[in-house]
Structures are given as structure tokens and as C-alpha cells.
Amino acid sequence: MDLNQPTQENVEYMIEAIKTKLRMATGSAMQASGFNVDKYEDLKDIYDMINSKERFSISEVEALVSELGKLRG
């Protein structure tokens, strides 16, 4: 998959990967359809950072979820 292209399909892929990696209990609340392709670069930055780490503290997860919340809509 070429994540350099800002498509809704890539947004959906990244959101699902983020939910899996962060083991989000409320993952169903974060639907890929809530993210606009206009914010693709910001979402990709978060996706890349999440994929670069093996583990996250609770405060890191909370901060990441907060940032993702800012990108929704």
C-alpha cells in the first residue's frame, strides 16, 4: 500500500493500524470516516510515530488520542 497518496482508503488503513497498535478499548468510537483527507499529512505523521515505537505509556496514548481527536471532523 502506498501511504504517500492522500486517499480515504489510506486514511482508513492508518486509523485501523493506529487502533490496533494502541490497543484502544474504545476503537469503535474512532471511525476512519470521521477523518478528512485534508488532514492527511498530520494523520500520516502520527501513524509514522506510532509505528516507530514498540510500547506506549498511558499518558502517551492519551496524548495521541487527543491529537487524533483534533484531526477529526
Side-chain angles (χ1 to χ4, degrees), residues 4 9 11 18 24-25 29 31 39-41 43 45-47 50 52 55-56 60-62 64-65 68 70 72:
N4 293 318
E9 181 180 312
V11 168
I18 289 168
M24 293 178 62
Q31 298 295 322
K39 306 277 186 176
Y40 188 83
E41 290 302 318
L43 178 60
D45 289 343
I46 293 172
Y47 170 82
I50 288 172
S52 71
R55 299 180 190 272
F56 297 91
E60 287 175 314
V61 171
E62 289 174 349
L64 289 165
V65 170
L68 288 167
K70 292 176 187 175
R72 289 180 54 187

Side-chain angles (χ1 to χ4, degrees), residues 17-70:
I18 289 168
K19 290 190 313 190
T20 300
K21 182 86 176 199
L22 296 181
R23 296 181 186 98
M24 293 178 62
T26 60
S28 62
M30 189 169 64
Q31 298 295 322
S33 60
F35 292 85
N36 194 318
V37 176
D38 294 344
K39 306 277 186 176
Y40 188 83
E41 290 302 318
D42 295 328
L43 178 60
K44 177 102 170 43
D45 289 343
I46 293 172
Y47 170 82
D48 290 339
M49 193 277 296
I50 288 172
N51 277 334
S52 71
K53 290 187 71 175
E54 187 65 30
R55 299 180 190 272
F56 297 91
S57 69
I58 292 172
S59 60
E60 287 175 314
V61 171
E62 289 174 349
L64 289 165
V65 170
S66 175
E67 287 302 309
L68 288 167
K70 292 176 187 175

